[in-house]
Amino acid sequence: MNNYTPTWMRVLKHVIIWMIIIFALFPIVWSLSASFNPSNTLVGQPLIPEDATLDHYIELFTSDIHPFTSWMINSVVISLMTAFFSVSLTTLAAYPFSRFKFRFRRNGLFTFLLVQLFPQMLMMVAIFIIFLLVGRSFPAIGINTRPAVVITYLGGAIGVNTWLVKGYMDTIPRSVEDAAYIDGASHFQIFYKIIVPLCKPIISVLFVIQFIHSYSEYVLARVLLNTTERFTLAVGLHMFVQDQYGARWGVFSAAAILGAIPIIVLFMLVQDHIVTGFLGGGGVKG
Amino acid sequence: MFSWNKAFIFKLIFLGLFNAFAVWAAIILFVQRNYIFLGVLVLGVIVINYVYLSKKNYHLKYIVPGTIFMVLLVVVPIFYTVYVSFTNYGTGNMLDKQQAINQITGRHHRPEDPREFYFSAFKDEDTDEIFVLFEDREDGSLFLGEDDQAVPVDPDDPRLEDTTGDGEIDTFEGLEKMERPDVIQNVSRLERKEFEYDDSLMRMRDLNRFALYRPSYEYHEDEDKIVDLRTGEEYFPEEGHFVNAEGERLDPGFQITIGFDNYRRLITDPRITGPFIRVFIWTFQWAFLSVATTFALGLFVAILLNDKTMRFRKLYRVLLILPYAVPAFISVLIWRGMFNPSVGVVNRIIEYMGLSGLPWLQNIFWARVALIIINLWLGFPYMMLLGLGALQSIPGNLYEAAAIDGASRWQRFRHITLPMVLVALAPLLIASFAFNFNNFNVIYLFNEGRPAIAGAQTPAGGTDILISYTYRLSFEAGRGSDFGMASAVAVMVFMITAVLTWINFKYTGALEEVKENE
Amino acid sequence: MKRFAILTLAVAVAFGLLAGTAAASEPGELLIWADADRIEVLQEFRDEFEEDLGVPINFHEKEFDAINDDLGVEGPAGEGPDVFIGAHDWLGELVADGLVEPIEMDQELIDQFEDVGMEAFTFEDDIYGLPYAMESIALIYNRDLVPEAPETFDEFAEIVRDISDEDDKYGFALPQPDPYHTYPFMTALGGYVFGFDEVEGWNPYDVGLNNEGAVEGLSRLNELYADGSVPYVDFDTMEGLFVGGELGMMVTGPWVFPALDDADIDYGVAQIPHMNDNPPQPFVGVQGIMISSFTENPILAQTLVTELMADEDIMYRFYELEPRPPVHKAAAEDAADDPHTAGILESAADGTPMPAIPEMSAVWGAWEDALDLILTQEQDVGPALDDAVELIEEEVQN
């Protein structure tokens, strides 16, 4: 990259970014304000609440009937598992599309995408029945279990994301593998030891995306989970505002704010793997 | 050296474990008569063994794991949805036929002279038989339940004994009377007992009493009809309900397949075809603008933050990911409050700047603008993430070469960055388009598709997209929700989206890209 | 990266494999579906119930509306509850779907409850639920801004205009577009949703939303929107304004009381102002406890509901947690000590229960749209209501 960025341009960049940050943060700051505001309303209150209180936060941790901590744990565990397995499945599936020749190659990838496009609304009933039946023989993965939720999410793992990883893999020159083939490595060893590490940035991106996607999903989670301690955060949050009148915005905002923390932590941990300082994906040096 | 022996053994062990596990699961399924899943399991085992043992078909070994999940959890529900679209499943037709018959024939009514009987139950622990003694407190008469009949019994019958002298019978044939906890323990058996008496049936009414009932309906399997035992009227099944000669229906109804009726309605119902063009155009605009704006902003930010010399860049990235980290529905509701024309912050700021507030909720154009802004806010972090990832795949030496050639920043962007990012992300942009085409959560949360259009013969609102509008019709149908119809909607919308996506792919040559690499 | 991956995987798998069992209606156990507030109360009495009946009692917490949605799928699938709480206007659909059981009640028990509650849960001569709370809307006014509640609509309009003239304050607001809240203004002069006949019940072919009375009543209200005295806001905004002391009056139900109490607002509850000496008739909604027809324990469920739950203490506890007036007469008497609750009861006395027939679902959408067009001054009252009624009638014919 160019080293001669004039100062005024550097300052301008920061200014622009700050403008965008304000745009991004404005509603969130509002939500933060609501979480400290004693009255349970969302709008029409001043930005800095007059009688700021920690009551809502305290309520989250002490409420008997709304086990916020359990919800958080459920969400984090489910999302981690989903992200991990989902990324694995996707990366595995992307490899042959990038490296092998076979029939249905073109259409296969397109089909994955197409399947993912089907409107999900009514799938809830089918999924419920599937896990109901499975649960009768194997209760550990039936209704109201974490594995059921993870498995359901994994159904959507390969889809458009396979394209994403495949596209990235395509930019890795073949020369890298050719050397290894000559040495007698199996295709799986090449996959595991060479290709995957080179795909670290896109895998990290995918991990974050899948985590967030699973973390905020609530339609299917609500169908599959039916006792309060097993709810995910998304389901629990939704219950706070389900009342058409009398939504408890204060507690809800507090929960939403706290709920965002795992995602932020995850992103902070993973950021470095995305922007690696690697100049491009495919340093071929002999 | 890479040896293949170790790997092969590894594979055999894994496969062996897998098969053993499969056998265990199969046994459980078989014993529980869970035949559907047994079939699925068997099929799965065959496929997996074939794929992983064969020497060729490398590609399948990688694709099969993900595909299995997809087939079980997405393809199967799709088939289910398609199946439902050919039925009348919905309010009034939720049960299957047998369940509906059970419900109807399970109804009882009290005869004209309703009598109640307090009962005492006696259980013989050895034979596990339960005897029931009834007392009509109005006239003191006693009955015994014997073999489905209620038989009158004389108070002096030697089998009955009043051992405590309180006037109440305590033992029957030496057996102790059951107290309430025992009654509860055996309630399932007592619930099922029916004793004939005087043209009626004596059935359990609560934990203390039996009462006289008569069944209201009877089902005749041979003629497939239900007879109302009070009036003699006959009801025959017709389109999911039992109907009599005057067309009166018995509730509940039941599911039946109705062929293409739902689809026919979709195509011919003026409430759907009327606004179709208008709604379709907006849906298309909505999807396109959503993708375009989020991609533009997301990529822009990604490029800015990809600069390793920028200070605070890591902090900036974290801050900018926040909209993505907060659940969408709370964000949309907050935005809705902020866009409120009377008291919302957005208008307050605009007015503060000296301009008059905008009618965000009432005016179609501004409502759409608001929605685009909200979707931009929700979606640009996702694009930023994708952009960051894609940028990493561009070899740095390309930029160096360009710099040496004297290319300006803009030229570098235009000729290196943009094309390469587009190639990497084209499928995702197309997918994002398709996703937003059906993204009605935001629209619905914001203002449920409003503002309404005056004088319209149809309830399609100004911000309704195809799917939000048609779903609404299905769930606010004349008699509640019509899931069959909603399923048909899902199928139709899917077909439209699929066609659009295919066209997009053709147009951008993304499919060709795959072909090139062959 | 590798270590991170393995670590998270290990932790996750360790947690993830915690098995779960699904609970559904099973013989010898009772399962209750209720929303958070109700479950809180029932948990308090759970030990008593279990002791009396000798069977375990389990709860599933669900969102209120989700109970209705899920019952239709889970009940027939065998995963439903024995007992559940719900709103009376669900009955039409629930009965049409064969999901509820009639409950046998002695006259003694029936007499313990207010007539309006029992009527609301009676459908075609059978009683389907034990009512525990009713709700209606009334005029809630901030005593600091409005010392005395107006009795007639003209008085009311004057007060509204006076207050709205001041900066940063509004005289009145309703959540919009909201048919439920606007209904009283349409009924005072003779509007109605469906015609009601003592013998036949609700008649879905007789829609009265665009009759003279409805149009006239709504027009009077609309004048206040037209001149800007009443802002067009949603429920949360309205509540926010009132809590912030910027709103003189609003019409809504007892669900706002906790927020108002928390904010220390001095408020009164009164009847909605009369039009031409006719009282408005708000919708009355009743909530009750019902028995699923797919229960495996019909007698036990019935005992639980009719003997154990029909208890004054429980009814009063429901009220304490969520201030909707109890239907149980004894509990209601105690509750009426609170002037706010008494105000709701007064308003409800003139109200009509919401029609419970399934055709109601066809009404809300079109009605909402009409209100939206009218109150944003996009269309006149008469034509907008005519359009809405036309749409509704079309739907119902289907």
Side-chain angles (χ1 to χ4, degrees), chain A residues 17 20, chain B residues 290-307 320 376 379-392 394 399 410 412-414 416-425 429:
Chain A
I17 294 208
I20 300 179
Chain B
S290 297
V291 176
T293 56
T294 53
F295 180 63
L297 184 60
L299 185 62
F300 177 68
V301 173
I303 291 178
L304 282 181
L305 294 180
N306 200 27
D307 177 359
L320 287 172
L376 167 64
F380 87 85
Y382 172 71
M383 289 294 181
M384 178 182 84
L385 268 182
L386 289 182
L388 281 175
L391 286 174
Q392 306 314 309
I394 304 179
Y399 287 115
W410 172 252
R412 285 205 295 266
F413 171 73
R414 177 99 171 62
I416 302 178
T417 316
L418 192 57
M420 296 208 68
V421 166
L422 277 180
V423 160
L425 295 184
L429 295 181

Side-chain angles (χ1 to χ4, degrees), chain A residues 1-2 5 9-10 13-14 16-18 20-21 23-28 30-31 42-44 89 92-93 95-97 100-102 105-106 109-110 112-115 117-119 121-123 125-127 129-131 133-134 136-138 151-152 154-156 158 160-161 163-164 166 168 170-171 174 180 183-185 187-189 191 201-202 205 208-209 212 218 234 237-238 241 249 252-253 256 260 263-264 267-268 271-272 274-281, chain B residues 1-3 24-25 28-29 32 34 37 58-59 62-63 65-67 69-70 72-78 80-81 297 300-301 304-312 314 316-327 329-330 333-335 337-338 345 373 376-377 380 382 385-386 388-390 392-396 400 409 412 425 427-428 431 434-435 438 440 467 471 475 483 486-487 490-491 493-494 497-498 501-502 505 510-515 517-518:
Chain A
M1 290 290 284
N2 192 332
T5 328
M9 201 175 257
R10 265 210 267 245
K13 278 194 192 182
H14 281 263
I16 293 180
I17 294 208
W18 272 106
I20 300 179
I21 288 182
F23 171 63
L25 289 191
F26 197 54
I28 298 180
W30 211 261
S31 190
L42 190 59
V43 282
L89 288 175
L92 275 173
Y95 183 53
F97 285 103
F100 300 157
K101 283 196 270 200
F102 54 92
R105 196 179 134 194
R106 205 165 18 140
L109 212 48
F110 185 69
F112 287 163
L113 171 59
L114 218 53
V115 167
L117 289 183
F118 198 88
M121 241 234 173
L122 285 134
M123 314 244 261
V125 180
I127 301 235
I129 295 179
I130 289 177
F131 281 98
L133 292 177
V134 168
R136 292 202 174 136
S137 304
F138 304 108
I151 294 175
T152 306
L154 290 181
I158 61 169
V160 70
N161 290 323
W163 281 98
L164 179 66
K166 169 211 175 281
Y168 195 89
D170 284 345
T171 66
R174 304 262 175 167
D183 279 346
H187 53 82
F188 187 71
Q189 281 166 321
F191 169 75
I202 204 68
V205 163
V208 173
I209 290 179
I212 296 182
Y218 94 93
L237 278 185
H238 209 250
V241 286
W249 289 106
F252 177 60
S253 303
I263 298 184
I264 298 179
F267 184 68
M268 281 172 31
Q271 299 206 54
D272 287 332
I274 299 179
V275 184
T276 55
F278 229 14
L279 289 180
Chain B
M1 280 299 292
F2 296 87
S3 83
W24 168 76
I28 295 186
L29 286 174
Q32 300 200 348
N34 213 335
F37 280 93
Y58 291 144
H59 62 285
Y62 292 87
I63 302 181
T67 316
F69 281 97
M70 188 177 79
L72 286 179
L73 289 134
V74 179
V75 174
V76 166
I78 290 181
Y80 179 76
T81 307
L297 184 60
F300 177 68
V301 173
L304 282 181
L305 294 180
N306 200 27
D307 177 359
K308 275 149 291 310
T309 65
M310 180 181 242
R311 291 172 65 183
F312 305 127
K314 291 196 189 174
Y316 290 158
R317 283 184 218 143
V318 172
L319 288 179
L320 287 172
I321 206 89
L322 279 178
Y324 199 35
V326 175
F329 60 89
I330 176 180
L333 292 174
I334 296 179
W335 273 107
M338 299 204 304
V345 165
I373 294 178
L376 167 64
W377 186 89
F380 87 85
Y382 172 71
L385 268 182
L386 289 182
L388 281 175
Q392 306 314 309
S393 71
I394 304 179
E400 285 163 15
R409 308 188 93 80
R412 285 205 295 266
L425 295 184
L428 280 111
F435 167 72
N438 292 334
F440 73 94
I467 202 172
Y471 267 151
F475 289 112
F483 294 125
S487 302
V491 171
V493 171
F494 170 67
T497 324
T501 308
W502 188 77
F505 266 93
L511 276 180
E512 303 314 312
E513 161 62 20
V514 182
K515 195 173 180 195
N517 264 337
E518 267 172 6

